[in-house]
């Protein structure tokens, strides 16, 4: 009924089926048939039809005055949905990436969209996407979210790092779960070099332990790049973890999401740590 009432309003304010048909991209006979069905449902006539055009009946004029303002406003709101004005953008990203090589992406995006309210959650844990509002999620490692679309924006190398002053350490700090690192001969050889293994749940914490000289740690290059004291790599083992940008609902992301992903791809091409390269050993 709402659609047919809107057709009646458009015809009544233009005084012509033909003019309303042109405005709505419908045929005049279709509009006439639907308004006739509306009149039958209401039980009274809305329009007087003649060769010179149409004119609202008394009932029709009452309906027009009551319904036209709200229906036309609703129609305008519906049309605006085709080009929505988004006021907020939600990003979920590992803390070490957003505070490191991907910070320029956030800065550039905010400068380009100064009126956009950013909601950034720097978190290294995998969350249930159904419980979070997001436009883009950045994930490192194997993807487990089959309900999301994704694109690869880079890769990060993992390597065992030890400070120069603790070369002979027997302690290895592990910020990754066992299932996150595939088994291999080189991996087993690396583990055989240590007698004590300490598991920490945060890669930044593991990097701080290396910087403090407490022992060695398996670290991504995003964290190794933050070391400002002499260090060296341990063993030949090395592992690559892919970096993905995820979004939901449609294969083609919305314009703002696409703009952000484009910046992410550019960052992946420009950042040495996001191209899988090793950080040069610091020597002083």
């Amino acid at each position: 009924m709402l659609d047919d009432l809107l057709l009646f309003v458009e015809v009544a304010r233009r005084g012509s089926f033909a003019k309303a048909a042109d405005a709505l991209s419908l045929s005049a006979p279709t509009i006439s048939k639907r308004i006739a069905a509306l009149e039958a449902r209401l039980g009274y006539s809305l329009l007087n039809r003649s060769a010179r055009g149409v004119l609202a009946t008394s009932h029709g004029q009452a309906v027009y005055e009551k319904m036209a303002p709200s229906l036309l406003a609703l129609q305008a709101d519906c049309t605006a949905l085709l080009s929505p004005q988004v006021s907020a953008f939600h990003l979920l990203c590992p803390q070490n990436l957003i505070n490191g090589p991907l910070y320029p992406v956030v800065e550039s995006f905010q400068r380009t969209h100064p009126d956009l309210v950013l909601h950034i959650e720097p978190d290294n844990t995998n969350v249930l996407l159904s419980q979070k509002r997001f436009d883009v999620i950045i994930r490192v490692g194997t993807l487990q979210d089959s309900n999301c679309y994704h694109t690869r924006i880079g890769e990060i190398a993992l390597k065992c790092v030890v400070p120069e002053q603790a070369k002979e350490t027997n302690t290895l700090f592990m910020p990754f779960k066992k299932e996150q690192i595939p088994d291999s001969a080189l991996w087993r050889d690396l583990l055989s070099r240590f007698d004590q293994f300490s598991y920490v749940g945060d890669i930044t914490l593991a990097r701080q332990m290396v910087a403090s000289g407490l022992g060695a740690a398996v670290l991504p290059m995003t964290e190794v790049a933050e070391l400002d004291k002499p260090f060296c790599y341990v063993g030949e083992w090395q592992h690559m973890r892919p970096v993905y940008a995820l979004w939901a609902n449609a294969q083609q992301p919305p314009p703002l999401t696409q703009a952000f992903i484009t910046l992410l791809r550019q960052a992946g091409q420009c950042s040495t740590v996001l191209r899988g390269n090793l950080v040069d050993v610091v020597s002083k």
Side-chain angles (χ1 to χ4, degrees):
M1 180 180 282
L2 286 174
D3 285 343
D4 291 341
L5 281 170
L6 181 60
L7 293 182
F8 159 68
V9 167
E10 293 290 356
V11 171
R13 73 190 187 109
R14 288 177 169 83
S16 166
F17 282 105
K19 291 179 181 179
D22 288 340
L24 300 174
S25 299
L26 294 172
S27 68
T30 296
I31 295 177
S32 179
K33 183 177 180 180
R34 287 179 58 177
I35 292 180
L38 176 63
E39 290 173 322
R41 183 175 182 181
L42 293 174
Y44 51 79
S45 296
L46 296 171
L47 296 170
N48 286 324
R49 300 158 172 82
S50 70
R52 294 185 177 182
V54 295
L55 186 68
T57 64
S58 296
H59 282 103
Q61 186 62 28
V63 171
Y64 180 85
E65 291 175 356
K66 181 177 180 61
M67 301 299 298
S70 55
L71 284 175
L72 293 174
L74 180 60
Q75 175 71 359
D77 289 340
C78 290
T79 301
L81 294 178
L82 298 174
S83 301
Q85 297 299 313
V86 179
S87 60
F89 190 86
H90 294 257
L91 170 66
L92 306 180
C93 182
Q95 184 174 2
N96 64 308
L97 291 185
I98 206 65
N99 289 331
L102 293 185
Y103 175 75
V105 172
V106 175
E107 180 183 1
S108 176
F109 189 70
Q110 181 71 94
R111 291 187 186 279
T112 305
H113 307 280
D115 297 328
L116 198 64
V117 177
L118 296 183
H119 297 266
I120 301 174
E121 290 192 43
D123 194 342
N124 292 330
T125 60
N126 286 340
V127 297
L128 292 175
L129 302 188
S130 60
Q131 298 177 3
K132 290 285 187 178
R133 177 179 295 130
F134 67 92
D135 293 287
V136 174
I137 292 179
I138 298 171
R139 286 273 172 87
V140 182
T142 304
L143 292 179
Q144 300 176 347
D145 304 292
S146 59
N147 60 328
C148 282
Y149 296 93
H150 65 270
T151 184
R152 186 164 172 158
I153 61 173
E155 61 180 359
I156 301 173
L158 299 184
K159 193 80 173 169
C160 184
V161 182
V162 67
E164 284 282 359
Q165 71 269 29
K167 278 186 178 180
E168 305 305 321
T169 182
N170 291 320
T171 299
L172 177 65
F173 295 102
M174 282 289 297
F176 298 98
K177 297 178 181 179
K178 291 181 179 180
E179 59 267 24
Q180 291 180 284
I181 298 178
D183 188 28
S184 68
L186 288 177
W187 174 244
R188 291 191 295 272
D189 177 69
L190 174 65
L191 295 181
S192 69
R193 296 168 181 257
F194 301 93
D195 298 325
Q196 180 176 326
F197 302 91
S198 295
Y199 293 90
V200 294
D202 183 81
I203 56 177
T204 301
L205 178 59
R207 185 251 299 170
Q208 290 175 332
M209 290 176 168
V210 170
S212 298
L214 295 177
V218 172
L219 294 177
M221 291 302 108
T222 50
E223 292 298 322
V224 176
E226 298 298 317
L227 291 171
D228 59 359
K229 294 182 179 181
F231 69 88
C232 56
Y233 294 118
V234 180
E236 299 298 321
W237 176 84
Q238 181 176 319
H239 176 57
M240 293 291 180
R241 301 190 77 204
V243 184
Y244 297 97
L246 291 77
W247 68 97
N249 301 324
Q251 186 171 4
Q252 181 62 36
L256 274 177
T257 300
Q258 182 61 68
F260 193 84
I261 290 173
T262 298
L263 292 174
L264 289 173
R265 289 198 183 108
Q266 293 171 353
Q269 295 169 359
C270 297
S271 172
T272 181
V273 297
L274 292 178
R275 295 202 308 270
N277 295 330
L278 295 183
V279 174
D280 291 336
V281 173
V282 175
S283 59
K284 295 185 179 179

